[in-house]
Amino acid sequence: MKRKWSLLIIAALISGCAGNRKIGRAPASLKEAFKNDFLIGTALSAGQIGERDAGARVLVPQQFNAITPENVMKCEAIHPQWNRYDYKLADEYVNYGSRRQMFIVGHTLIWHSQLPGFVHRIKSPDSLRLFMQQHIHTIASRYAGRVNSWDVVNEALNEDGTLRRSVFFEKLGPSYIAEAFKLAAEAAPGTLLYYNDYNIEQPAKRRGAIELIRKIQASGARIDGVGIQGHWHLGQVPFRDLEQSIADFSALGIKVAITELDINVLPRPKNMSGAEVSQKFASDPEMNPYPNGLPAALEEQLAKDYEQLFKILVKYKQQISRVTFWGVHDGQSWLNNWPIPGRTNYPLLFDRQGRPKPAYYRVLAVGEK
Ligand code: 9MR
């Protein structure tokens, strides 16, 4: 089974390469094509970490040199009760990356979403502070020296750039963010520390992110970078705002990473954008127009969007540390189930069979110039 998948994917890569570049060269990969620019990462699901996804088993080591855990290090998974940690899947994840000498991202220490029930039941600010101290200390020190970069705080901002009124903000006030960075630095001194959020390339939210980063720096805490998640929409990738954001964020003396890249090709319910996971809408066949394949014109638009995006990213390679896709192939993407469940989406560079799509070759060509 494994062999059949490997052969299929290799055959597809070779035939695509022959069409795009000089015949006779070894099939390239994303990680090779951008090796002088930035790391190329992917998010891994629990099944992929456990090597139960045949396509990913071949593609991940072949194409990527960085990994992010899609869910297994989130609080509800790794710290389900006040006094109980469950490291099984997180250890498996870190071992997966270590064995393959990959750059290992930890995602994420402090986030308002995917919190276990006990955190919501905490009443006093002192107890919540104690939770935060113990959570960061326990997890960041366990993986110190193995996790290369932590998303320390995730999605602390509203769209207008103000601070989200999360459980942390409500009980601890705005200083919880800098405090989280200090705790992470103590527990994992050699690990890079990032703030991560979606839509922070948009002007108002970007202003909020700049202010947030400046406050972390002014508090004396260490912050090494900012993650622009990169959950974008077909034909609407905000290229100009992205360029401006890379310039503005790197002017703060930190690196910029694209941490959760995908391009949604399906219609969006009115009045929604970004990646607010609590948004949910009912199923509707009209909102799932391509269950049997993406029309050629949209496939081409996707390839163009990715090509243009990577041209910009390469232009700013000095400022950019890593570009991570939010999933290995279309079949895995969270966008098949959000904000409407059970749709067929096509947001990544590899299809459901793990075969490279036209967008893959266009991205590869940018890296090979
Ligand atoms: O891809 C993740 C999906 O499997 C989970 O159900 C979801 C639940 O919150 O989280 C998704 O990942 C999110 C990431 O951790 C933070 N930024 C937004 C991502 C997409 O929702």
Side-chain angles (χ1 to χ4, degrees):
M1 183 64 188
K2 184 177 177 191
R3 194 172 147 72
K4 192 180 128 217
W5 270 93
S6 317
L7 291 176
L8 252 173
I9 292 167
I10 290 165
L13 283 162
I14 292 172
S15 63
C17 290
N20 280 272
R21 289 189 308 282
K22 283 182 224 136
I23 296 176
R25 283 180 56 178
S29 66
L30 295 170
K31 67 177 180 186
E32 284 164 35
F34 295 97
K35 68 172 184 291
N36 298 323
D37 306 324
F38 33 70
L39 294 165
I40 295 281
T42 182
L44 296 182
S45 67
Q48 291 168 340
I49 294 163
E51 310 215 37
R52 295 185 293 280
D53 175 336
R57 201 159 55 207
V58 179
L59 286 171
V60 176
Q62 180 187 71
Q63 298 290 332
F64 303 97
N65 47 24
I67 50 175
T68 302
E70 187 175 1
N71 288 302
V72 304
M73 280 183 158
K74 290 173 179 172
C75 191
E76 69 177 5
I78 202 171
H79 189 177
Q81 286 163 16
W82 179 273
N83 272 326
R84 190 164 76 81
Y85 291 82
D86 182 348
Y87 301 118
K88 191 173 172 291
L89 291 173
D91 283 359
E92 227 181 278
Y93 162 75
V94 173
N95 290 337
Y96 180 108
S98 301
R99 273 202 306 277
R100 294 169 177 81
Q101 280 129 41
M102 300 175 99
F103 184 91
I104 301 172
V105 178
H107 175 85
T108 170
L109 291 170
I110 295 297
W111 187 27
H112 64 277
S113 196
Q114 285 179 282
L115 284 172
F118 83 88
V119 180
H120 291 290
R121 290 191 295 273
I122 294 175
K123 294 270 181 326
S124 77
D126 282 351
S127 301
L128 190 67
R129 174 161 289 110
L130 186 62
F131 157 77
M132 183 165 100
Q133 286 165 349
Q134 290 181 345
H135 180 77
I136 295 180
H137 177 78
T138 308
I139 292 165
S141 22
R142 180 178 182 88
Y143 299 111
R146 304 189 74 198
V147 161
N148 301 96
S149 177
W150 269 110
D151 292 341
V152 178
V153 175
N154 197 42
E155 302 174 6
L157 289 164
N158 293 316
E159 296 306 287
D160 66 0
T162 58
L163 286 178
R164 188 192 281 270
R165 305 190 79 79
S166 69
V167 55
F168 300 104
F169 178 89
E170 291 290 359
K171 291 213 165 54
L172 305 178
S175 62
Y176 84 87
I177 298 172
E179 196 179 331
F181 276 81
K182 284 185 187 156
L183 291 164
E186 276 162 28
T191 301
L192 298 169
L193 306 179
Y194 275 62
Y195 174 71
N196 190 49
D197 211 334
Y198 57 83
N199 281 353
I200 46 171
E201 72 284 354
Q202 297 301 324
K205 202 164 179 180
R206 186 197 319 153
R207 277 194 292 278
I210 290 170
E211 198 183 322
L212 178 151
I213 293 161
R214 284 209 175 109
K215 285 202 173 128
I216 296 172
Q217 293 173 323
S219 79
R222 170 166 69 87
I223 174 166
D224 301 291
V226 58
I228 298 174
Q229 290 186 4
H231 293 295
W232 289 314
H233 204 266
L234 191 71
Q236 297 172 30
V237 179
F239 297 119
R240 279 230 222 113
D241 286 323
L242 176 65
E243 286 206 60
Q244 190 58 53
S245 302
I246 298 169
D248 290 355
F249 288 139
S250 52
L252 300 169
I254 58 173
K255 286 282 184 190
V256 179
I258 307 297
T259 51
E260 305 186 10
L261 177 58
D262 47 29
I263 300 182
N264 186 349
V265 306
L266 295 182
R268 266 181 302 191
K270 281 196 191 78
N271 304 326
M272 71 152 295
S273 68
E276 177 54 56
V277 282
S278 61
Q279 288 180 298
K280 289 262 186 293
F281 296 82
S283 296
D284 170 357
E286 271 187 27
M287 297 298 272
N288 187 26
Y290 321 117
N292 304 315
L294 192 63
L298 299 192
E299 193 81 77
E300 172 59 18
Q301 179 71 53
L302 186 71
K304 267 197 191 141
D305 282 359
Y306 267 120
E307 178 181 25
Q308 172 80 19
L309 174 62
F310 272 80
K311 280 186 177 160
I312 291 173
L313 297 175
V314 167
K315 183 168 154 195
Y316 293 96
K317 63 181 178 188
Q318 303 297 348
Q319 286 79 27
I320 292 179
S321 51
R322 169 171 58 92
V323 179
T324 288
F325 291 86
W326 205 241
V328 179
H329 56 69
D330 288 342
Q332 171 200 356
S333 172
W334 71 295
L335 291 170
N336 294 308
N337 289 303
W338 180 91
I340 299 175
R343 298 200 294 177
T344 308
N345 215 326
Y346 304 85
L348 297 167
L349 299 188
F350 297 95
D351 71 13
R352 285 169 166 71
Q353 279 71 45
R355 291 173 305 209
K357 295 161 47 173
Y360 169 83
Y361 295 107
R362 300 275 272 277
V363 167
L364 206 62
V366 174
E368 294 197 321
K369 285 230 172 71

